Amino acid sequence: MIIGSGQGGVPLAADYAKEGRKVVVFERDALGGSCINYGCTPSKAFLAAAHGAGRARQTEKLGIHTQVNVDFPAVMERVRGIRDRFNQGVHKRLESAGVRVICAEASFVDERTVKGGDVTIQAPLVVINTGTSSLVPDLPGLAGTPYLTNRNFFDLKTLPSRLLVLGAGYIGLELGQGLARLGSETHLIVRGDRVLGQEESDVSETLAEAFKQDGIQLHFGVNAERVAYENNVFTLSLSNGDQLQGDALLVVIGRKPNTGALNVAASGIELDDKGFIKIDDQFHTTCSGVYAIGDAAKQPAFTHVSWEDYRRLKAILKGEQRNRHDRVLGYAVYTEPQVGRVGMTLEQAQKKGMNARSVVLPMSQIARAIEWGHELGFYRMVIDTDTDKILGATLVGYETAELVHVFLSLMEAGATWQLLEQSVHIHPTYGEALPSLARLLVED
């Protein structure tokens, strides 16, 4: 029995059904989880259009003068079409594998016994894959207004002329910059002193500069105190006394686990103080036979992590030696410039007591970046000076979500920085700068 049809639950269900097991999936919403329905798939289809428009405008510095006309309804119709096609693919995959799908909200009624709708099922193996959803603040005046989250953002049919974004994490930055590049006057309300506050400060500074170039207005060090909605206009009152008005309000302050309706106590499953499912290193909950994967179990909230959780758990159940931490973690932020991250930052490594150091190469010193006009950003690599192994990398620049895989593979193989330094990458490419980055260690 699998509760939730996210990117870990679906392949697990399909695999077990094809092996001849009786498999049931409970899903209260759309099949495919957040990635397909209101996460990766629609957001990246949306950003394809947004960044296409942004890049076209930026060709002025290359001597190309363009006029960009955005057909917003067509943009969003394409986004929804791709989303729906992917969703149907999940339907077909489960159906062809012989998985029984119960479209109902599931809750435990006894040990490893779940009820959904008028169906009650007990199973020896239960996997929880319910994911997370938008965290909505208890902000006076917000309830009952047509505010946006990533859940309903992709249902937009008209371009808001003015957009207010509450939150400065990766979802707010991607969608906020996206609407700005498609023509919205965009304001980012940032509680702290920088965007993307969990990353290194120069990452935040680079993105802030890019956003200013896109005409986005950044409001730092303020809290939203109340919301008013009248005549289709949002008025947001800030802690510094300012008021901002917008035709749309996007609330993206964080995520919460989808565990509230599960009644997990009926099966002896414990939650932490924030509602995430407690698991050990082998994804086992506090109830025998019940496992949890993905971000509902506080794993890093990325599709590729949830999918690898499925592979990990399947291997564990076959008796193999895997655990929830046994792969190098990489991720990306799909702003422009992109942020590609893998492993540890210098600060994280030093806090662990490692003898670490880093080297940095600005994009403005990379031939391809100069030639193409993509000079905003940098490449950074962190190494262990005791072993020469690569500990992490931060890449901020054009399509760095692709380039960061070079580091991810080297780190998975346990390689040293000398292997990268000895590599001869093709000229002129962005990837050519990676060995150049490593050669800074030789020069020192």
Side-chain angles (χ1 to χ4, degrees):
M1 181 160 50
I2 297 172
I3 306 173
S5 62
Q7 296 304 297
V10 168
L12 190 65
D15 284 2
Y16 278 154
K18 287 177 180 177
E19 292 172 7
R21 299 194 190 202
K22 294 174 68 175
V23 181
V24 172
V25 169
F26 284 92
E27 176 55 67
R28 68 179 182 179
D29 200 352
L31 287 173
S34 62
C35 176
I36 285 177
N37 295 292
Y38 38 89
C40 320
T41 297
S43 69
K44 276 49 188 184
F46 167 76
L47 289 175
H51 292 327
R55 290 171 182 177
R57 293 190 187 95
Q58 290 184 349
T59 56
E60 270 198 23
K61 58 190 174 185
L62 305 179
I64 307 299
H65 302 283
T66 62
Q67 181 176 347
V68 178
N69 297 308
V70 175
D71 184 347
F72 188 76
V75 168
M76 300 308 286
E77 185 177 350
R78 175 181 177 271
V79 168
R80 289 188 287 270
I82 293 172
R83 176 187 66 184
D84 294 346
R85 189 162 76 245
F86 280 33
N87 174 265
Q88 287 302 311
V90 176
H91 277 268
K92 292 175 182 176
R93 181 177 186 182
L94 293 175
E95 183 180 19
S96 64
V99 176
R100 180 185 179 189
V101 177
I102 298 173
C103 299
E105 186 167 71
S107 64
F108 287 91
V109 294
D110 204 345
E111 193 171 278
R112 291 182 302 280
T113 305
V114 169
K115 179 178 173 61
D118 57 359
V119 178
T120 301
I121 293 176
Q122 185 179 50
L125 174 61
V126 181
V127 180
I128 302 172
N129 181 221
T130 51
T132 58
S133 55
S134 300
L135 180 63
V136 178
D138 185 17
L139 186 61
L142 180 64
T145 67
Y147 65 88
L148 299 171
T149 67
N150 72 304
R151 182 69 176 79
N152 60 351
F153 179 91
F154 303 105
D155 296 326
L156 282 173
K157 293 182 172 59
T158 58
L159 177 71
S161 59
R162 298 169 299 174
L163 171 70
L164 308 177
V165 181
L166 198 57
Y170 72 91
I171 297 176
L173 298 191
E174 289 180 4
L175 299 184
Q177 186 185 36
L179 277 186
R181 289 187 149 201
L182 291 174
S184 294
E185 176 192 303
T186 299
H187 295 259
L188 280 178
I189 295 88
V190 188
R191 183 170 56 184
D193 59 358
R194 58 191 180 96
V195 301
L196 215 62
Q198 75 276 19
E199 299 294 342
E200 298 148 289
S201 59
D202 49 3
V203 175
S204 303
E205 292 164 6
T206 303
L207 291 185
E209 176 58 32
F211 280 26
K212 289 174 185 175
Q213 291 180 14
D214 277 332
I216 297 171
Q217 298 185 52
L218 301 166
H219 304 267
F220 291 108
V222 292
N223 291 312
E225 294 193 333
R226 68 185 64 86
V227 176
Y229 183 71
E230 188 175 355
N231 298 323
N232 299 320
V233 174
F234 287 92
T235 301
L236 197 61
S237 298
L238 304 180
S239 56
N240 62 358
D242 290 346
Q243 286 192 332
L244 299 175
Q245 289 192 322
D247 305 286
L249 171 63
L250 176 61
V251 179
V252 280
I253 64 166
R255 309 289 292 173
K256 63 179 180 179
N258 293 328
T259 56
L262 287 175
N263 189 32
V264 292
S267 189
I269 301 164
E270 294 181 10
L271 306 177
D272 70 10
D273 58 354
K274 292 188 177 180
F276 292 93
I277 300 167
K278 291 183 179 181
I279 58 172
D280 63 17
D281 278 353
Q282 279 69 47
F283 301 94
H284 204 231
T285 70
T286 51
C287 176
S288 176
V290 181
Y291 297 81
I293 60 176
D295 42 345
K298 217 170 185 176
Q299 284 286 84
F302 305 109
T303 288
H304 51 284
V305 172
S306 184
W307 187 81
E308 188 62 23
D309 280 358
Y310 130 72
R311 294 187 356 119
R312 292 180 176 110
L313 179 57
K314 189 176 177 185
I316 288 166
L317 293 173
K318 289 167 64 176
E320 298 178 21
Q321 296 300 309
R322 292 210 61 182
N323 65 72
R324 61 188 294 200
H325 307 294
D326 66 358
R327 287 288 181 267
V328 175
L329 176 63
Y331 57 91
V333 182
Y334 293 88
T335 49
E336 188 128 295
Q338 288 180 358
V339 180
R341 281 277 295 110
V342 63
M344 291 184 283
T345 65
L346 179 62
E347 182 181 4
Q348 289 168 341
Q350 290 175 339
K351 280 185 177 180
K352 287 193 171 188
M354 305 180 82
N355 187 16
R357 63 169 298 195
S358 66
V359 285
V360 180
L361 181 65
M363 292 289 287
S364 59
Q365 295 180 18
I366 299 171
R368 180 68 179 272
I370 296 168
E371 293 156 1
W372 282 58
H374 296 150
E375 297 173 67
L376 189 61
F378 60 89
Y379 295 167
R380 174 182 290 115
M381 177 173 60
V382 180
I383 67 156
D384 183 339
T385 56
D386 294 332
T387 65
D388 286 339
K389 286 187 177 181
I390 302 169
L391 298 176
T394 300
L395 310 180
V396 184
Y398 184 75
E399 295 295 345
T400 54
E402 304 295 335
L403 280 178
V404 78
H405 289 97
V406 172
F407 288 99
L408 198 155
S409 295
L410 288 170
M411 291 170 64
E412 196 69 63
T416 66
W417 65 265
Q418 285 92 343
L419 180 60
L420 180 61
E421 189 275 329
Q422 292 161 12
S423 301
V424 181
H425 287 195
I426 298 168
H427 175 78
T429 63
Y430 291 99
E432 176 190 28
L434 302 185
S436 299
L437 177 65
R439 286 169 195 143
L440 294 175
L441 291 163
V442 177
E443 294 170 9
D444 284 354

